[in-house]
Structures are given as structure tokens and as C-alpha cells.
Amino acid sequence: MSETPVKQQNTAAFYGQAVASFSVAMAATALGIFKLQADAWVRAFLAVAVLYLVTSAFTLAKVIRDRQDGQRAGGRAYDPFEKL
């Protein structure tokens, strides 16, 4: 008996909640940095650090998703240290 893999789809509500949560978190962080009683260079440093953290998180999520998709497709596991 063969099993057909089921592709799971996120619902529109889950997607909307994720977007809303991300938006609220970014807005709250931006407001907190803006209202911070510190010099402009400190606020600018914190803003750049937050942007770097967000882009790194998106990149990490994509790498993990791509690795899982490759393993589900029956492909060989990705090894970042293998020779090209």
C-alpha cells in the first residue's frame, strides 16, 4: 500500500495572524526605539540591529524550509560543507 504525501496548506487566517503579529512587533519595536531617551546614534544603531535581526530570521526560515522540502522530496540532505 502506497501513501500519497499530503501537502499541508496554511489557512488564510493563520497567514493573516502571522502578518499581523509581525507588523505589530515591528511597529512596537520602532516606536520603542523612536521614544527612547538616548542620542540619535544610539537609536540608529538599535534600528539597524533590528533590521539585521529580521533579515537574518527570514533567511534562516527560508534555509530551514528549503532543507525540509528537499528531504520530503526524497532528495539527499543538504550538506553546506560538501565540495562543489
Side-chain angles (χ1 to χ4, degrees), residues 10-48:
N10 293 332
T11 64
F14 180 76
Y15 179 78
Q17 185 271 333
V19 170
S21 176
F22 177 77
S23 300
V24 168
M26 285 297 291
T29 303
L31 182 64
I33 291 173
F34 179 73
K35 293 286 189 175
L36 186 65
Q37 296 295 322
D39 292 336
W41 72 268
V42 173
R43 291 194 310 266
F45 175 80
L46 291 174
V48 169

Side-chain angles (χ1 to χ4, degrees), residues 41-60:
W41 72 268
V42 173
R43 291 194 310 266
F45 175 80
L46 291 174
V48 169
V50 167
L51 290 176
Y52 180 58
L53 180 62
V54 168
T55 58
S56 297
F58 276 114
T59 302
L60 178 62

Side-chain angles (χ1 to χ4, degrees), residues 60-74:
L60 178 62
K62 183 189 179 311
V63 167
I64 291 171
R65 183 201 63 205
D66 290 348
R67 176 182 276 185
Q68 289 175 345
D69 286 348
Q71 288 175 348
R72 266 191 231 123

